[in-house]
Amino acid sequence: MVFALAPTAASEGYRLDAYDTIGSTNAQALESARAGDPGKLWVVSNDQQSGRGRRGRAWLSPPGNLAATLLVVADFELRLAATLGFVAGLALADALDAVVPKGRISIGVDGGSGEGRNRFELKWPNDVLASGAKLAGILLESSLLENGRFAVAVGIGANVVAYPQDLPYPAISLKALGANCDAETVFLALSDAWNENARLWSDGHGLAAIRRRWLERAAGIGSEVAVRIDGNVVRGTFETIDEDCRFVIRDQNGSALTIAAGDVHFGAVASAAAV
């Protein structure tokens, strides 16, 4: 199978730039923007060799995994750009629901029963989980353009056939879950699901609806959490995300803390002294 856009995406003016091998889909998307691309461009590959994660970390993506970036050239306010990560998380979770046969239900980050839970959960701010393990990550990068507009690369990396095993947190792949699908199939569903969620988001006007949908899939609400912020660790109970999609926890003194950026850990990882 080759990469292709869903008919719904093509009808909305989205375009596709597919590569057999690529250094970084985010880098390629931003390069296209600086060369004058108007946006609504998907850059995809199933062999990304120089992927990046948050805070400059490497994102390992062996052949067969999905690396996809949507280039958005924006007219909306720059402060809204970060909320595109929540649109991306919902779109990927919806896509996975569409392509992965039912029969495996997430047991959640606390190790409890998964009955009635989403099979694919969202971990603030940018991960998709399955059975409490990281299945996919999202990275947003932006660049100011000469015309005063700005470009946002919405990068999505999904572990389709393989996952790293030397991480301080659990990870998993679709193949390890028993799902028999490839990166091209996942992308086809993703391009369709993005269309629906982006329409709901509506340049930020529908952020409240995105927030509600995200909370319905949120991992770890009510659980012990540790958030690493610039080398410091804040602990508490995950309560919600606020109207701007910032992380809200209740600390041991009963105070609500609102966090705009940080690394979040639940359960046993949150309890570990190394966190």
Side-chain angles (χ1 to χ4, degrees):
M1 183 175 178
V2 298
F3 283 109
L5 286 170
T8 52
S11 69
E12 290 289 335
Y14 288 90
R15 295 167 294 119
L16 179 63
D17 192 4
Y19 293 82
D20 292 332
T21 301
I22 197 169
S24 163
T25 56
N26 268 22
Q28 180 60 47
L30 291 176
E31 182 179 326
S32 295
R34 289 188 285 268
D37 193 283
K40 300 186 83 168
L41 174 70
W42 281 104
V43 180
V44 298
S45 181
N46 59 13
D47 186 3
Q48 178 176 251
Q49 299 185 346
S50 304
R52 299 188 296 271
R54 291 178 67 235
R55 303 180 186 275
R57 302 178 183 122
W59 176 267
L60 301 177
S61 183
N65 283 354
L66 173 64
T69 296
L70 177 64
L71 173 63
V72 179
V73 177
D75 289 320
F76 52 81
E77 295 181 53
L78 181 58
R79 66 177 182 83
L80 292 170
T83 65
L84 284 168
F86 297 86
V87 180
L90 284 168
L92 181 56
D94 289 345
L96 292 171
D97 276 343
V99 302
V100 177
K102 296 187 182 299
R104 281 188 176 269
I105 299 176
S106 172
I107 61 173
V109 295
D110 299 318
S113 171
E115 288 301 321
R117 298 181 64 95
N118 292 299
R119 294 183 303 151
F120 301 104
E121 297 179 305
L122 300 176
K123 175 174 170 284
W124 188 91
N126 63 349
D127 291 343
V128 178
L129 306 181
S131 297
K134 183 170 178 173
L135 178 65
I138 295 160
L139 176 67
L140 304 185
E141 296 183 289
S142 62
S143 177
L144 183 65
L145 304 178
E146 289 183 354
N147 58 11
R149 305 176 81 193
F150 61 92
V152 182
V154 184
I156 301 170
N159 299 329
V160 178
V161 299
Y163 62 94
Q165 302 187 39
D166 56 350
L167 302 174
Y169 52 82
I172 203 164
S173 67
L174 290 175
K175 182 177 180 180
L177 287 169
N180 183 24
C181 59
D182 55 23
E184 291 82 358
T185 301
V186 175
F187 173 73
L188 184 68
L190 172 62
S191 66
D192 179 52
W194 174 273
N195 206 38
E196 291 298 316
N197 284 282
R199 186 181 295 115
L200 182 63
W201 182 73
S202 183
D203 288 350
H205 299 295
L207 182 57
I210 290 294
R211 174 182 176 270
R212 286 193 297 271
R213 283 210 68 217
W214 193 94
L215 284 169
E216 290 172 358
R217 283 192 180 267
I221 289 182
S223 298
E224 177 189 358
V225 62
V227 186
R228 180 178 287 275
I229 307 170
D230 296 329
N232 298 314
V233 176
V234 178
R235 299 180 186 274
T237 301
F238 175 28
E239 286 202 339
T240 188
I241 60 173
D242 71 5
E243 291 77 7
D244 294 317
C245 296
R246 296 175 298 184
F247 199 65
V248 180
I249 68 173
R250 186 75 57 178
D251 70 13
Q252 295 176 346
N253 297 320
S255 299
L257 303 176
T258 301
I259 299 167
D263 291 327
V264 173
H265 302 281
F266 293 113
V269 179
S271 302
V275 173

